Amino acid sequence: MSSAHSAVPTAGSVPSPTSPVSSSSSSSSSSSPAVAAPTIAELLEFVRRTARDEELIASLPLDPEGRTWIRLDGPGGSEAWLIGWPPGTGTGWHDHADSIGAFTTAAGSLQEHSLAVRLPTDGWKTLELTNGVDRSRELAAGQGRAFGQNHVHEVLNESEDVHAVSVHAYYPPLPRIRRFSRTGAVLRLEQTESPEDWQ
């Protein structure tokens, strides 16, 4: 993806999280050494390092009407994105299926609301959440976080007048995203998106 777009996409094939990703060599008949799957710590280091790349951050076109993004080369076959957030925009509640991930704010500030509970992966439409599962954090420029599989959260730019920019990485590349609505303690599965839905 070489141009900016106005929603947050993810794409890619789905290697097993425990299988190595191999590089192919077009000029040699011998196999290249396998590349190990990145760890959560390596994804976090990648997004932090990338968020400090001022030239890259400045290259992202910003749109006052919607989010924009550029696909990046992540470590070890991971999926990575540079994302622009106009004031007042957000993702809504969602998860990243079986992928691990990390993100860091490069400019502005983002708010993350998350659930400290692992949800069933399939077979439900509505869940009532117990007290004490909500977590919130503000991530100013230079701050980030990593997360494991099936992490449920929403990310928001709550500023009234300042764009935010962030860097995200996922491994394996996202096979699906589940989107949820929430009313009080009730979480509803609204839809499941596959890569074809956001490419």
Side-chain angles (χ1 to χ4, degrees):
M1 182 179 312
S2 59
S3 62
H5 298 278
S6 59
V8 176
T10 51
S13 61
V14 187
S16 164
T18 57
S19 299
V21 176
S22 298
S23 301
S24 61
S25 173
S26 58
S27 62
S28 172
S29 60
S30 63
S31 297
S32 297
V35 176
T39 65
I40 289 177
E42 289 167 335
L43 292 178
L44 185 57
E45 170 54 28
F46 168 80
V47 297
R48 286 178 171 162
R49 183 177 64 250
T50 304
R52 292 189 300 267
D53 184 337
E54 294 177 11
E55 186 177 337
L56 175 66
I57 302 310
S59 74
L60 178 66
L62 300 178
D63 181 344
E65 301 299 319
R67 287 179 291 161
T68 53
W69 61 82
I70 297 173
R71 177 80 185 249
L72 305 173
D73 292 327
S78 64
E79 174 178 339
W81 299 95
L82 176 63
I83 301 174
W85 307 74
T89 58
T91 61
W93 287 96
H94 67 283
D95 74 1
H96 307 99
D98 294 328
S99 297
I100 60 172
F103 70 99
T104 293
T105 304
S109 181
L110 292 172
Q111 184 78 23
E112 182 198 35
H113 303 291
S114 61
L115 300 178
V117 63
R118 187 175 176 124
L119 300 180
T121 55
D122 292 303
W124 65 277
K125 286 286 196 185
T126 304
L127 288 176
E128 186 167 335
L129 302 170
T130 59
N131 289 334
V133 299
D134 287 294
R135 302 289 185 268
S136 290
R137 70 181 77 206
E138 182 175 353
L139 298 165
Q143 295 179 321
R145 70 152 307 168
F147 51 85
Q149 297 175 328
N150 301 301
H151 177 68
V152 177
H153 69 167
E154 66 174 346
V155 180
L156 309 157
N157 178 2
E158 295 180 339
S159 172
E160 294 181 8
D161 55 5
V162 177
H163 251 85
V165 177
S166 57
V167 181
H168 302 245
Y170 311 97
Y171 188 85
L174 297 173
R176 65 179 179 164
I177 293 177
R178 294 186 300 176
R179 299 219 175 258
F180 308 99
S181 63
R182 182 165 179 194
T183 306
V186 177
L187 190 71
R188 274 188 192 82
L189 175 61
E190 296 293 345
Q191 83 183 79
T192 301
E193 299 174 0
S194 61
E196 299 79 39
D197 297 322
W198 58 70
Q199 289 181 0

